[in-house]
Amino acid sequence: MTDSLLNDRDLKFQLYEVLDIEALLERPRYAEHDRAVFDSVLDTAHDLAKHYFAPHNQKGDAEEPVFEDGRVRLIPETKTAWDAFADAGFLAAHHDAEDGGMQLPEVVLRACMAYFNAANVSTTAYPFLTIGAANLVKSFAAPELRERFLPPMMDGRFSGTMALTEPGQGSALGDIRTTAKPAEDGSYRLFGQKMFISGGDHELTENIVHMVLARIEGAPAGAKGISLFLVPKVLVNSDGELGARNDVALAGLLHKMGYRNTTSTVLSFGEGDGAVGYLVGKPHHGLAYMFQMMNEARIGVGLGAATLAYQSYVHALSYARERPQGRLPSSKDPLSKQVRIIQHADVRRLLLMQKAYAEGSLSLCLYATSLAEDARTAPDPEQARQAGELLDLLTPMVKSYPSRYGVIASDLAIQVLGGAGYTREYLLEQFYRDNRLNPIHEGTEGIQAIDLLGRKLGRAVAKATHCS
Ligand SMILES: Cc1cc2nc3c(=O)[nH]c(=O)nc-3n(C[C@H](O)[C@H](O)[C@H](O)COP(=O)(O)OP(=O)(O)OC[C@H]3O[C@@H](n4cnc5c(N)ncnc54)[C@H](O)[C@@H]3O)c2cc1C
């Protein structure tokens, strides 16, 4: 088998030759960097992914998290990986230097995440969610809240979640029922249950910051009545010291087909006097704010699916190069040496399909992150606007295409290995199970189709017609 995660040459071809990320160095924000910095960050990510994430990928799958005596137990390698990721500065990589970040382009950070995802998608979910939650705090939280919660989310003391789904409400987020009652001190008390919350409980960090969608009492019905709250697992005093445990309880863990080393939790808010929550931004604008994290996560899901497809492909390729079986149709001598299966036309077909799905998906996702980069930092406002609009239109496809064809690539990779692919001795069946989540979470495939055809294409066509 192979110990390769992603082909460095492929990734660098995408970054430097297709997306020309060296041109970013001309932007004032990145003037302090050079290509050697980008290369060294990418190499560090590859190295950490290989040494701290990949080795426990199978173990995390076999020994899934358990809920015992009120605590969640994960395999200890998960914490070592989290610490390595945080200590290398990846949680803060894209943040401003003056805030303690590395001020790296978004597209470089996401290319680094491709290595971590390829190594171990379940363990990578913890930093992935934390980066998204921290971005939300940074964009929309009031300065006092930001100062209290952002630094520990950037240095790895606190992790983050997105808490949208409820037992009764998944795709239809406008119908969520968790309620928030105003308290005298200006904070809120939350009551309700959230389900499927990834990373919702664990002991990797001293605190967990839940970004929760809830409805303030008396709010209008539907999406226009939803607000966003920051609800910590442990309360944090104004001096940054940890205080009492908040009224957020783990009701149970869900047992999944794949992605097993990511805890999947049911959380109860307000079993007692109510979970203390802090309003983020304006009341009733919560869903719009949360879309920042959801859109980032949609690109991230696409990237995760693409890298799982890529991993499936490199494992299948490596096996096909080694496994002798049968002879070519042109060889009639039963005593002649068997060929490696890569020489069979049908196996080549299976491999080429995987390669096309994996590399095409990776390319699409990196292109999307380069649009996100341009939308944020392009010096020409028109270029920034156009990049933002194109990204908005493409996001449902960036989420859906790799998710759907990534699973197919993992399936084809199993086929290349034959019976061996169906055994747990090889990683392929795990890649398939892990990848099967991607068309479901962060908006199912059906929901992405409604977003693309029902909203975004209509808007784009109307705009184009108006302009012409
Ligand atoms: C492993 C895992 C991790 C997750 N992590 C998180 C997390 O961290 N935070 C979080 O908040 N949530 C999380 N989720 C929840 C996830 O986002 C939801 O499962 C997903 O949005 C679908 O919701 P649902 O499961 O309730 O399915 P439903 O909404 O009940 O959908 C069921 C089916 O009906 C279809 N459908 C629904 N509505 C429509 C419609 N209007 N038109 C056409 N078809 C429709 C769907 O496409 C789907 O095929 C996670 C889920 C899983 C499985």
Side-chain angles (χ1 to χ4, degrees), residues 129 161-173 195-199 256 258-259 264 437 440-447 450:
L129 286 161
T161 73
M162 59 195 302
L164 292 65
T165 309
E166 298 179 354
Q169 325 298 335
S171 302
L173 285 174
M195 184 165 177
F196 283 121
I197 308 310
S198 300
K256 307 189 295 294
Y259 262 85
S264 209
L437 172 63
I440 298 173
H441 66 162
E442 276 318 319
T444 59
E445 209 169 74
I447 294 302
I450 291 171

Side-chain angles (χ1 to χ4, degrees), residues 40-103:
S40 125
V41 172
L42 289 163
D43 292 346
T44 304
H46 193 171
D47 199 46
L48 293 185
K50 211 159 151 178
H51 290 103
Y52 293 99
F53 285 68
H56 69 279
N57 190 29
Q58 264 177 305
K59 185 176 173 188
D61 181 67
E63 298 174 29
E64 64 182 328
V66 284
F67 182 26
E68 266 174 357
D69 306 324
R71 299 169 70 170
V72 174
R73 195 160 43 78
L74 286 165
I75 57 165
E77 292 87 341
T78 320
K79 169 75 175 150
T80 314
W82 168 272
D83 288 343
F85 190 98
D87 291 349
F90 282 109
L91 288 169
H94 59 302
H95 286 272
D96 299 348
E98 65 179 35
D99 293 336
M102 287 194 255
Q103 210 158 300

Side-chain angles (χ1 to χ4, degrees), residues 311-432:
Q311 270 289 281
S312 305
Y313 165 63
V314 292
H315 277 72
L317 180 63
S318 158
Y319 183 90
R321 283 180 173 145
E322 305 272 314
R323 165 80 173 165
Q325 197 68 199
R327 292 169 186 80
L328 296 181
S330 56
S331 169
K332 307 291 178 213
D333 179 2
L335 296 178
S336 64
K337 227 174 134 192
Q338 289 191 327
V339 298
R340 310 287 165 173
I341 59 170
I342 195 167
Q343 292 186 43
H344 295 305
D346 189 50
V347 173
R348 293 172 95 87
R349 175 186 67 83
L350 296 171
L351 288 167
L352 282 170
M353 284 173 78
Q354 292 164 55
K355 182 173 164 64
Y357 294 148
E359 291 182 1
S361 296
L362 187 62
S363 179
L364 178 66
C365 294
L366 291 173
Y367 176 59
T369 63
S370 80
L371 289 175
E373 178 63 52
D374 287 346
R376 207 159 63 97
T377 67
D380 172 9
E382 183 54 20
Q383 187 193 353
R385 188 191 61 75
Q386 284 185 8
E389 279 187 2
L390 184 54
L391 179 64
D392 189 48
L393 179 68
L394 287 182
T395 298
M397 287 174 272
V398 174
K399 196 270 170 183
S400 296
Y401 180 89
S403 298
R404 164 168 277 235
Y405 289 94
V407 185
I408 295 176
S410 298
D411 179 52
L412 296 173
I414 291 175
Q415 199 67 18
V416 169
L417 269 71
Y422 196 65
T423 66
R424 291 204 299 276
E425 273 66 37
Y426 290 85
L427 272 162
L428 275 309
E429 63 86 32
Q430 184 187 341
F431 293 148
Y432 178 81

Side-chain angles (χ1 to χ4, degrees), residues 216-257:
I216 297 172
E217 272 185 327
K224 291 193 173 127
I226 294 175
S227 303
L228 175 62
F229 294 88
L230 186 159
V231 185
K233 173 179 168 180
V234 181
L235 296 173
V236 180
N237 302 327
S238 51
D239 60 2
E241 289 295 310
L242 292 184
R245 181 76 201 247
N246 200 1
D247 188 4
V248 182
L250 175 63
L253 291 178
L254 300 165
H255 302 98
K256 307 189 295 294
M257 175 179 178

Side-chain angles (χ1 to χ4, degrees), residues 133 136-137 160-166 173 176-180 188-195 197 208-216 226-233 246-248 267-270 275-280 285-287 289-290 293:
L136 210 48
V137 173
T161 73
M162 59 195 302
L164 292 65
T165 309
E166 298 179 354
L173 285 174
I176 61 165
R177 294 207 176 146
T178 299
T179 50
Y188 288 78
R189 298 293 173 270
L190 271 74
F191 299 87
Q193 208 170 53
K194 294 286 176 182
M195 184 165 177
I197 308 310
I208 303 176
V209 176
H210 303 291
M211 303 305 292
V212 183
L213 289 184
R215 197 177 283 292
I216 297 172
I226 294 175
S227 303
L228 175 62
F229 294 88
L230 186 159
V231 185
K233 173 179 168 180
N246 200 1
D247 188 4
V248 182
L267 297 177
S268 288
F269 293 83
V276 176
Y278 307 101
L279 182 68
V280 174
H285 286 66
L287 201 52
Y289 301 143
M290 187 51 100
M293 186 169 182

